[in-house]
Amino acid sequence: MKLTVIGGGGVRSLFLAKSIAQQSSKLGITQLVFMDNDAEKLKVYGTLARHVSQMLDPALEFVLTENPVEAVKDADYVITTIRVGGDHMRVRDERIALAHNVLGQETTGAAGVSFAMRSIPALASYCELIRAHAKPTVKVFNFTNPAGVVSQALHDMGYDFTYGICDAPSGMLHQFADLYGVDASRLEGECYGLNHLSYFSSIKLDGREIVPELIESDEVYQKTDMHFFEKDLVRTHRSILNEYLYYFYYRERAVENIQKAGQTRGELIEEVNRKMTAELSTIDIDDDFDTALKTYEKWYGVREDAYMANETGMKREKPWSFDVFSPDAGGYAGVALRYINLVQTGTEGTMILCAPNNGAIPTLEDDDVVEITCDISAASCKPHRFDITDIPASNLELIRRVKYYERLAARGIVNRSRADIVECLTMHPLVNSYSLACDLADKYIALNKDYIDGWH
């Protein structure tokens, strides 16, 4: 079996290599290809990833390439994780929004539409190559942000072999598993909503419902990413909240904290990645992997420790490290690998994906892409259905409003319609202004003129 990663020169490539190599023998993965169009990053992070892979499964053929056709030819599965325009374009996306005192976060905030203007055309080009050169049964797992808008656009364009994936829901379940001192496989979660805007209505430990006790547990608000929320808010929504809901429920705090910090998340990432890449480039990774890994740990630890820190004023307390041989927590590669495992073994199981709604969440359209718990088998992907009485009204209203934004953003980018971009931003809860939407739309269209054109 051949598995390809498009964006294999990304700084998280080591995580992908670890996840895949730890399961490659069991899943029958014989060839792993990391492709990137950035030669320098592929040399640095691809080489690190190759070493990790070889340490875990020396029999796995690991290939680095800049050639996309070579990468996807006869591929069984493809993971896409790209950042078109690099870190600096993210910085510009965020700063344009913040200049209007509007949240510029790249998936939840207004900047997401700008990022999507670059992501969607590039991913569509890759999907065409995949359709032409990969196996007819190929499946593509997209981790490229903003995953909600991107997944909607790819679905609308007819690329029905694609699924959006995110490690936020599974990451939350792993945090709760750590809290209870159990393996995450003993937890089952019922998740519904959109990417970076989802809720767990149910989490069961060995079949026992634990959401009520999680909501009331003080420890949950101290040791997990639920620390972004106040208990009274969580009680109101009767659900476990995706951490990105912080940006909706504490909008003014997020913007104020970022402005006070004087540095956006994008600016921090750009600085850390630049310094890390520069230092790693001076090391002969093939001859001195240990030094390279320590350097990587140092810099990536800075990035992880600062996760949502400027926006919330809170830092993660658990020190970050990378252990090649420790059991893999999964991450977004783990989501893709669970799907592969279910299909390859012919078993049925559940997992959380971005997939067409098909009546699962009431009042949404069937072809709306949602983030939801699905039943997976070799033959199908069926989202779990929720009755309207199962979903608190305020949760549903926010989902509907943001889905309207995602639907129009995807359509506007695919059709190059400025009117749709203005409308989607006008209705975005974090913009909520026609005049601001007009200005943001024009600035983002101008910013991305080298990546997408033909607007009308």
Side-chain angles (χ1 to χ4, degrees):
M1 182 198 307
K2 178 178 178 178
L3 191 157
T4 293
V5 176
I6 295 176
V11 298
R12 298 178 73 176
S13 292
L14 281 77
F15 309 154
L16 280 165
K18 175 180 174 178
S19 298
I20 296 165
Q22 283 193 348
Q23 298 192 51
S24 54
S25 179
K26 179 182 74 172
L27 297 178
I29 300 170
T30 55
Q31 186 180 42
L32 179 58
V33 180
F34 274 35
M35 176 265 160
D36 206 290
N37 58 12
D38 186 320
E40 180 188 12
K41 291 182 67 179
L42 186 65
K43 180 180 179 181
V44 171
Y45 299 105
T47 301
L48 284 168
R50 183 178 64 204
H51 271 266
V52 170
S53 175
Q54 291 171 343
M55 292 166 73
L56 293 168
D57 184 1
L60 176 61
E61 181 187 358
F62 192 103
V63 178
L64 297 177
T65 182
E66 297 173 55
N67 186 323
V69 174
E70 176 191 349
V72 303
K73 185 174 177 58
D74 297 325
D76 295 273
Y77 295 97
V78 179
I79 295 173
T80 54
T81 172
I82 62 175
R83 178 169 293 283
V84 182
D87 295 325
H88 191 61
M89 287 297 283
R90 174 181 182 172
V91 170
R92 297 179 71 184
D93 292 341
E94 292 174 342
R95 281 297 174 189
I96 285 172
L98 284 170
H100 296 281
N101 216 35
V102 170
L103 182 74
Q105 206 278 334
E106 68 168 353
T107 59
T108 298
V113 76
S114 183
F115 192 8
M117 287 178 186
R118 300 188 296 277
S119 297
I120 290 169
L123 286 169
S125 296
Y126 283 124
C127 282
E128 284 297 315
L129 290 177
I130 291 165
R131 179 178 276 165
H133 299 284
K135 289 184 178 176
T137 56
V138 69
K139 292 291 184 288
V140 176
F141 303 101
N142 175 61
F143 188 69
T144 299
N145 279 321
V149 177
V150 168
S151 297
Q152 186 67 55
L154 294 179
H155 176 71
D156 292 347
M157 297 172 81
Y159 302 118
D160 56 0
F161 49 82
T162 64
Y163 293 106
I165 59 174
C166 181
D167 55 352
S170 61
M172 184 69 81
L173 291 177
H174 274 86
Q175 289 180 24
F176 294 147
D178 290 344
L179 205 62
Y180 280 84
V182 301
D183 189 85
S185 63
R186 293 170 59 184
L187 293 179
E188 293 183 358
E190 289 291 338
C191 177
Y192 68 90
L194 309 175
N195 178 245
H196 288 180
L197 197 161
S198 59
Y199 304 83
F200 278 107
S201 62
S202 169
I203 299 174
K204 292 181 179 178
L205 171 59
D206 297 333
R208 180 176 69 86
E209 181 61 64
I210 61 172
V211 161
E213 65 190 60
L214 287 172
I215 290 175
E216 295 303 322
S217 168
D218 291 338
E219 200 174 14
V220 165
Y221 300 92
Q222 296 165 359
K223 297 182 178 179
T224 77
D225 283 342
M226 288 291 287
H227 69 171
F228 298 134
F229 307 106
E230 293 160 271
K231 190 181 293 186
D232 282 347
L233 170 70
V234 182
R235 283 177 180 148
T236 299
H237 292 277
R238 308 199 313 271
S239 315
I240 297 300
L241 312 182
N242 185 299
E243 67 257 36
Y244 282 81
L245 281 163
Y246 171 85
Y247 295 113
F248 290 99
Y249 295 137
Y250 299 89
R251 174 184 61 181
E252 77 292 341
R253 289 190 194 176
V255 174
E256 183 181 359
N257 286 339
I258 295 168
Q259 301 283 32
K260 282 183 178 178
Q263 184 183 48
T264 67
R265 176 67 176 171
E267 286 165 343
L268 183 144
I269 295 290
E270 181 183 32
E271 179 182 4
V272 168
N273 287 354
R274 183 180 66 250
K275 291 179 177 178
M276 178 167 60
T277 304
E279 188 168 345
L280 285 168
S281 296
T282 67
I283 301 169
D284 188 330
I285 298 171
D286 287 318
D287 287 341
D288 196 359
F289 175 76
D290 288 343
T291 298
L293 184 59
K294 287 178 182 177
T295 300
Y296 179 84
E297 277 189 314
K298 176 185 69 175
W299 287 111
Y300 201 89
V302 172
R303 170 179 166 146
E304 281 298 289
D305 291 345
Y307 177 67
M308 289 183 71
N310 286 351
E311 299 92 333
T312 65
M314 306 176 198
K315 285 191 174 184
R316 285 178 168 171
E317 295 182 1
K318 186 177 180 180
W320 186 87
S321 62
F322 183 83
D323 182 350
V324 174
F325 297 102
S326 66
D328 184 44
Y332 60 92
V335 179
L337 292 170
R338 176 160 175 76
Y339 181 99
I340 295 170
N341 181 53
L342 292 171
V343 171
Q344 293 302 117
T345 59
T347 56
E348 295 185 0
T350 63
M351 58 184 297
I352 300 165
L353 285 174
C354 292
N357 183 49
N358 290 330
I361 300 177
T363 75
L364 294 189
E365 298 179 11
D366 283 349
D367 62 355
D368 282 340
V369 172
V370 296
E371 184 168 89
I372 197 161
T373 302
C374 299
D375 289 327
I376 303 296
S377 68
S380 65
C381 169
K382 296 180 180 178
H384 288 192
R385 287 178 174 261
F386 290 79
D387 188 89
I388 197 164
T389 59
D390 297 332
I391 303 177
S394 61
N395 296 7
L396 184 58
E397 284 305 307
L398 183 57
I399 291 168
R400 283 163 49 86
R401 182 77 174 269
V402 176
K403 188 66 240 182
Y404 183 86
Y405 153 76
E406 288 187 350
R407 193 185 304 129
L408 262 71
R411 188 178 75 186
I413 292 168
V414 171
N415 296 327
R416 310 301 198 262
S417 168
R418 176 188 178 275
D420 280 345
I421 300 302
V422 169
E423 173 69 358
C424 80
L425 286 169
T426 299
M427 295 299 290
H428 194 301
L430 302 180
V431 179
N432 202 32
S433 163
Y434 174 74
S435 56
L436 285 177
C438 287
D439 196 36
L440 287 169
D442 288 338
K443 283 184 167 62
Y444 285 141
I445 288 171
L447 176 66
N448 293 295
K449 66 183 186 303
D450 292 335
Y451 301 94
I452 184 171
D453 58 12
W455 294 91
H456 58 86

